[in-house]
Amino acid sequence: MTDTPPILQIRDLKIALPKGADRPFALEGLDLTINPGEIVCLVGESGSGKSLCAGAIMRLLPEPHVHVAGGAIRFMGDELLAKTETEMRGIRGEDIAMIFQEPMTALNPQKTVGWQLDEVLRLHTKMNKAERKARAIEMLTRVHIPDPASAYNAYPHQISGGQRQRVMIAQALSLSPKLIIADEPTTALDVTTQLQILKLIRELQEQEGAGVLFITHDFGVVAEIADKVAVLCRGEMVEQGPAKEVLNNPQHAYTRALIGAVPALTPPPVKPVTKAPVVLKGTGLKKTFAARGGLLSGKRKAVTAVKDLTFQLHQGETLGVVGESGSGKTTVSRIVTRLLECDAGKVEMDGKDLLACSPAELRAMRKHIQMVFQDPMASLNPRKRVVDLIAQGPIVHGVDPDKARADARRLLELVELSPAAANRFPHEFSGGQRQRIGIARALALEPKVIVADEPVSALDVSVQAQVLKLLADLRDRLNLSLLFVTHDLRVAAQLCDRIIVMQKGEIVEHGLTAEIFASPQHPYTRNLLSSIPGRDWTPPSFRPDAA
Amino acid sequence: MRFPFPPILIYALRRLLQAVPVVILIMIGTFLLLKLAPGDTVDALVGDMGGADADFIARLRAEYGLDQPVWVQLWRYMTKLATFDFGWSFVYEQPVSTVLMDRLGTTLLLMATSLSIAFTVGTALGAIAARRAYSATDNLISVLGLVFYATPSFFLSLMMMLLFSVKLGWLPVGGIKTIAGFYTGWDHVIDVAKHLIMPTAALSLIYLSFYLRLMRASVLEVADLDYVRTARAKGAGEMRLMIHHIMRNALLPVVTLLGLQFSTVLGGSVVVETIFTLPGLGQLAYQAVVQRDMNTLMGIIFLCALIVVVVNFLTDLLYARLDSRIELA
């Protein structure tokens, strides 16, 4: 490798942030080299400046607010920072291509897939229309899209998320670029799709011999794909080296903390919870989103979200509901809390059917079952102070407002927030802190059951680990029962005593987490488990005091 | 497919069916509202004549059917309307449909030109302002938009009249054509165009500022979206970004407003037509209210309801054409 010149060489790169930002430089002194045929992962938590690094290479920073303040970016020996805008336009798309995170929003919704693939070719080559179309269809075939000819004519909203990401990859690779920048390309995808896309990137990169800069926050993905790893912490590179080295023998404290936070795939010890009384029991739950329409409006097909679902939740137990998007797991959480009316079945709580309750009875029952939502940004009313957010529930249920507020302050301590947080507004907190507020809000009514719908999927790994620990801790101290909905099997392995695996609205497998992880019976479960990124890598464990 | 018809026809048919109850409700509502207003056609006629004896008034009322209870009058009117019979205008002594058709052309011409000018110029200026956001150009455009937006149309009309007709004598003060001109062919077209310049300007400037502001905000928003960044990363130039990736998506909310505003422009044309003495529906509506010409007024409202329904349908078609995610169903 030493005799071929590196594709990308970044020396001492500095990116300045506008005045009033939390730090003067988004990136400070970044050094990075990418050789041909190498996949280099740039890892860091949100706000570490990793995406801005990609922007700097493409010269697509939101200037003049954010701009390169020093350093050098050499691409094939040429200084990119010295290029004119016109020269850069020739390089973008042809020599350096980019794959973005959100396949939902990264394609123009008004143009067909074919048009968007065609655009790259039209901009950079002199091919005629027929040649361009042939090339576009060839690329779609190479990224393994079923029926490339019809995908060519489809609009982005007509194909699935995974297929859209394939289109993005086809678009990026259609001119055989020498450098591919992939900015969290698989974060928004299901595990099985994620694995396919990672394999695809690997496969195409090997065919083309291109260098890849792969930006991610997920160490599982790093273990899956990286040759080299660079770890960013608040704009500074704290560690760099071959993937094996960094993953198994990290030197810097920050890297250790990050890797330590990755949930290991080892389920918790089996607790004798199945002997505890059943607190929540669902029988024969069914939910179909009805076909709509008739003479005077449009028609829509009926979708069965949940069919014939039965489960039991014991006192003090955590039951995980896992599955991919569209499997109906969120619908389950909404039916159980009766935020969504279901078509058939019973949800019994202490022998009383929640689904048959009158509105008044239901209101009284609500305090026994509370929810923690996925998006901590969107699920707290931005105009209310934290103390009111937490006290609201008890006040509605007839607790004296002063007492409720005093309790709320006590709860903040329980979720490890300072009591001073009580008088502030949600936007003043970070994502992890907001999720703690969400948990405190759920606990305020002293419920028997907490239904948590993807409570940690919007959080950084280190924060995720803390919130999971808090949940496990509270569950044990308050003897809570948790119904935990997640798509992330690593998270499920950490917290859940038992799991049910859902596919297309049905339970395909259920049992003790340890048993399912050790010997999955259903092919779908096996597929899910074998798709976990970095499943062969066990994060080395560090004692917390070492980190 | 169960139906052998093309889906667009089925869609149009369904929209037509949906429009029927809407129009019926509008007609009943306005009929009752108008009945709540004090005075009727007979009061207005007698007032014009300078008074008459009670016997004559009673006979006139019986002749026009105004002595019947309101619901009987409503039923009679609606059954006649069902056969598209708008009745007789007692003020103009002509069938209402004839009166309306005479006036419709002028109003449609005024509305269509004002709206298309407001839309094209407004979106173009808005797009330019957004591309040069926070520069001197943007400030100039935005301030002008604000000034137009804040100026009432009657004031703008009067000021324009004062300047262009009275002081400079370039443009005619009012009317749709030169009365003693008897122009034909292109001369007629030019004559009408000259008469329409000021009313169109007065009507369009206000709406122009709506489109300008909305388009500016919309372009700024779309320009920040991921797919624009994707296109940039492909190596697309600014012109290409603007035309293919930004404009098409930014136009969507503006088109929605266009459909909604068609009805408000109808209202705005009342003021402008009255000031410029244009023989259009707006002016007719104003006079019909003053003279309590119930049949004419109801006819105008019916026509306006139809226009709004049709325009909304066309907007939806346009919207579906512009936004591939929307399917007509």
Side-chain angles (χ1 to χ4, degrees):
Chain A
M1 285 272 184
T2 42
D3 47 340
T4 48
I7 287 179
L8 186 78
Q9 244 183 324
I10 299 178
R11 287 284 159 269
D12 198 27
L13 181 67
K14 264 187 177 179
I15 299 178
L17 285 174
K19 277 189 188 116
D22 62 331
R23 56 181 197 258
F25 293 101
L27 271 181
E28 225 175 333
L30 175 73
D31 289 307
L32 199 71
T33 306
I34 301 177
N35 289 311
E38 210 175 41
I39 297 184
V40 177
C41 276
L42 196 56
V43 195
E45 296 192 282
S46 47
S48 62
K50 54 193 195 302
S51 287
L52 287 178
C53 172
I57 299 169
M58 291 297 265
R59 292 264 311 276
L60 285 176
L61 291 175
E63 290 182 55
H65 313 291
V66 180
H67 59 96
V68 174
I73 303 175
R74 283 216 183 79
F75 173 69
M76 311 289 292
D78 278 350
E79 177 58 58
L80 282 182
L81 296 174
K83 298 256 186 228
T84 64
E85 179 57 29
T86 322
E87 285 171 323
M88 272 317 293
R89 226 175 272 158
I91 291 173
R92 283 179 208 140
E94 181 159 12
D95 299 319
I96 308 179
M98 213 166 158
I99 304 168
F100 294 99
Q101 174 173 8
E102 283 288 332
M104 301 298 189
T105 55
L107 292 172
N108 188 337
Q110 308 303 348
K111 304 281 185 185
T112 60
V113 164
W115 190 94
Q116 306 198 38
L117 283 168
D118 191 66
E119 190 178 29
V120 194
L121 301 170
R122 202 168 14 184
L123 285 166
H124 298 285
T125 68
K126 292 196 170 63
M127 288 193 238
N128 67 31
K129 211 174 166 194
E131 286 169 344
R132 292 201 305 259
K133 181 165 183 183
R135 176 86 177 132
I137 292 191
E138 183 205 323
M139 284 314 297
L140 288 174
T141 319
R142 274 184 71 190
V143 295
H144 310 305
I145 279 195
D147 197 0
S150 88
Y152 183 87
N153 291 320
Y155 284 99
H157 68 274
Q158 293 166 330
I159 55 179
S160 72
Q163 287 184 0
R164 264 179 264 186
Q165 201 55 295
R166 282 168 198 270
V167 170
M168 273 303 288
I169 294 172
Q171 183 176 287
L173 294 183
S174 53
L175 290 169
S176 307
K178 301 186 184 66
L179 175 66
I180 302 163
I181 303 173
D183 189 353
E184 305 252 12
T186 58
T187 308
L189 304 174
D190 277 329
V191 262
T192 48
T193 323
Q194 180 178 37
L195 186 71
Q196 289 163 9
I197 296 285
L198 289 177
K199 275 188 178 153
L200 179 71
I201 292 177
R202 208 7 140 188
E203 174 193 321
L204 294 173
Q205 176 262 349
E206 272 164 10
Q207 287 169 15
E208 306 273 342
V212 177
L213 177 64
F214 197 103
I215 297 170
T216 183
H217 69 278
D218 186 343
F219 269 101
V221 172
V222 174
E224 194 69 39
I225 200 168
D227 296 317
K228 272 199 319 199
V229 185
V231 183
L232 279 181
C233 170
R234 295 180 57 79
E236 275 176 69
M237 194 172 62
V238 294
E239 186 158 1
Q240 184 173 21
K244 278 207 184 77
E245 269 310 290
V246 177
L247 285 173
N248 297 318
N249 190 17
Q251 299 303 314
H252 195 274
Y254 178 74
T255 320
R256 287 188 187 194
L258 271 186
I259 291 181
V262 175
L265 276 171
T266 38
V270 179
K271 277 193 289 181
V273 280
T274 35
K275 292 188 186 71
V278 174
V279 279
L280 189 73
K281 188 173 158 192
T283 337
L285 295 172
K286 266 197 197 80
K287 175 72 193 174
T288 304
F289 290 102
R292 284 205 207 138
L295 182 64
L296 292 181
S297 64
K299 285 191 173 64
R300 238 178 257 162
K301 261 194 261 168
V303 182
T304 308
V306 173
K307 43 186 165 191
D308 201 20
L309 182 103
T310 301
F311 70 90
Q312 288 187 334
L313 179 63
H314 301 271
Q315 177 87 50
E317 175 193 43
T318 305
L319 177 65
V321 181
V322 299
E324 296 191 284
S325 52
S327 62
K329 54 190 194 307
T330 294
T331 311
V332 171
S333 72
R334 309 242 148 174
I335 290 175
V336 164
T337 44
R338 213 175 150 184
L339 293 172
L340 198 69
E341 293 297 327
C342 97
D343 302 332
K346 281 198 285 189
V347 175
E348 277 170 275
M349 185 156 205
D350 297 339
K352 197 167 178 187
D353 186 3
L354 203 63
L355 301 186
C357 280
S358 69
E361 287 172 320
L362 179 67
R363 215 169 300 138
M365 289 293 277
R366 282 238 190 264
K367 71 175 178 200
H368 299 307
I369 180 161
Q370 284 291 305
M371 225 173 148
V372 178
F373 296 93
Q374 171 172 14
D375 189 343
M377 310 288 167
S379 58
L380 297 173
N381 185 341
R383 307 254 181 279
K384 279 196 179 291
R385 291 179 194 281
V386 167
V387 59
D388 294 319
L389 282 169
I390 299 174
Q392 204 174 25
I395 293 173
V396 167
H397 282 275
V399 175
D400 174 58
D402 289 332
K403 184 180 175 298
R405 291 209 178 83
D407 287 347
R409 282 169 215 275
R410 204 174 39 74
L411 276 168
L412 282 175
E413 245 167 277
L414 195 66
V415 295
E416 295 157 18
L417 285 175
S418 91
N423 292 322
R424 286 154 68 189
F425 288 96
H427 70 262
E428 297 172 58
F429 296 89
S430 69
Q433 288 172 323
R434 269 183 251 201
Q435 203 54 294
R436 284 170 196 269
I437 297 170
I439 293 170
R441 191 188 52 74
L443 288 176
L445 285 167
E446 296 171 16
K448 295 188 181 120
V449 176
I450 286 188
V451 178
D453 186 3
E454 304 265 11
V456 294
S457 63
L459 306 174
D460 274 330
V461 256
S462 57
V463 184
Q464 185 176 327
Q466 291 161 13
V467 173
L468 284 177
K469 194 168 150 286
L470 174 73
L471 271 175
D473 199 37
L474 289 173
R475 174 197 61 193
D476 297 341
R477 268 165 63 189
L478 308 174
N479 203 16
L480 286 169
S481 313
L482 271 176
L483 186 68
F484 193 91
V485 176
T486 183
H487 71 283
D488 189 336
L489 291 160
R490 282 182 183 274
V491 170
Q494 279 292 295
L495 195 67
C496 302
D497 302 308
R498 287 190 305 134
I499 54 175
I500 53 185
V501 183
M502 286 188 72
Q503 184 192 22
K504 292 177 186 152
E506 281 177 297
I507 297 180
V508 293
E509 189 160 1
H510 64 99
L512 293 171
T513 312
E515 282 171 15
I516 288 186
F517 272 65
S519 63
Q521 298 301 313
H522 194 274
Y524 178 72
T525 319
R526 256 178 267 159
N527 190 9
L528 272 185
L529 283 171
S530 65
S531 301
I532 300 174
R535 65 214 157 276
D536 302 326
W537 165 66
T538 314
S541 59
F542 311 99
R543 269 176 290 120
D545 52 41
Chain B
M1 268 312 273
R2 273 188 304 138
F3 301 100
F5 308 110
I8 182 79
L9 265 184
I10 297 170
Y11 177 71
L13 194 71
R14 189 160 57 222
R15 287 294 297 262
L16 192 69
L17 282 179
Q18 284 171 335
V20 171
V22 173
V23 172
I24 291 178
L25 273 179
I26 291 175
M27 295 315 286
I28 294 178
T30 35
F31 191 92
L32 295 178
L33 266 180
L34 286 173
K35 283 294 165 197
L36 281 178
D40 57 15
T41 319
V42 175
D43 288 329
L45 279 179
V46 170
D48 272 358
M49 285 189 287
D53 61 80
D55 225 26
F56 177 71
I57 293 176
R59 251 188 299 129
L60 214 52
R61 284 231 158 85
E63 192 184 323
Y64 294 163
L66 292 173
D67 53 342
Q68 302 288 327
V70 171
W71 63 269
V72 175
Q73 291 182 36
L74 175 65
W75 176 250
R76 280 184 184 170
Y77 184 78
M78 293 306 285
T79 42
K80 271 203 291 178
L81 194 66
T83 61
F84 289 95
D85 178 359
F86 295 109
W88 185 265
S89 163
F90 300 111
V91 174
Y92 294 90
E93 292 298 342
Q94 270 180 331
V96 169
S97 47
T98 319
V99 180
L100 289 182
M101 285 309 141
D102 277 355
R103 307 292 192 107
L104 184 63
T106 309
T107 297
L108 279 186
L109 190 63
L110 180 65
M111 275 169 56
T113 43
S114 314
L115 265 186
S116 30
I117 288 175
F119 184 75
T120 42
V121 178
T123 46
L125 284 179
I128 293 171
R131 288 316 278 163
R132 307 187 197 292
Y134 312 112
S135 69
T137 324
D138 176 29
N139 287 341
L140 181 73
I141 293 177
S142 297
V143 167
L144 271 183
L146 204 61
V147 169
F148 292 143
Y149 179 60
T151 318
S153 60
F154 73 88
F155 181 73
L156 201 65
S157 311
L158 292 176
M159 289 303 112
M160 278 199 292
M161 261 190 207
L162 192 66
L163 181 64
F164 294 108
S165 308
V166 181
K167 296 273 183 208
L168 298 171
W170 291 351
L171 294 170
V173 184
I176 184 73
K177 57 188 172 196
T178 314
I179 293 172
F182 304 112
Y183 293 118
T184 49
W186 280 108
D187 288 338
H188 173 70
V189 173
I190 293 167
D191 186 44
V192 170
K194 264 191 184 168
H195 279 85
L196 276 181
I197 289 177
M198 282 201 294
T200 310
L203 200 54
S204 59
L205 279 179
I206 293 173
Y207 295 101
L208 184 147
S209 51
F210 274 120
Y211 295 123
L212 193 161
R213 293 175 74 86
L214 190 64
M215 188 65 182
R216 181 178 178 274
S218 182
V219 166
L220 278 182
E221 191 189 314
V222 173
D224 266 349
L225 291 184
D226 288 355
Y227 55 80
V228 176
R229 189 184 54 176
T230 308
R232 240 187 218 120
K234 281 190 208 171
E238 287 300 313
M239 233 4 227
R240 199 180 167 80
L241 281 180
M242 197 62 200
I243 293 169
H244 288 285
H245 296 279
I246 299 178
M247 283 292 257
R248 176 92 179 261
N249 287 286
L251 271 178
L252 294 176
V254 187
V255 168
T256 316
L257 186 72
L258 179 70
L260 288 176
Q261 278 201 336
F262 210 83
S263 45
T264 49
V265 175
L266 267 177
S269 73
V270 174
V271 176
V272 171
E273 281 178 14
T274 311
I275 292 174
F276 289 99
T277 57
L278 285 177
L281 283 182
Q283 198 200 19
L284 186 69
Y286 172 68
Q287 283 165 358
V289 170
V290 172
Q291 293 164 331
R292 295 286 185 275
D293 190 352
M294 187 76 180
N295 282 347
T296 308
L297 203 51
M298 289 297 288
I300 293 171
I301 288 163
F302 182 73
L303 209 57
C304 291
L306 278 193
I307 292 176
V308 170
V309 165
V310 168
V311 166
N312 268 323
F313 172 66
L314 291 180
T315 315
D316 284 355
L317 284 190
L318 184 63
Y319 209 82
R321 178 75 192 74
L322 280 177
D323 190 344
S324 58
R325 283 166 297 188
I326 292 176
E327 277 168 38
L328 297 177

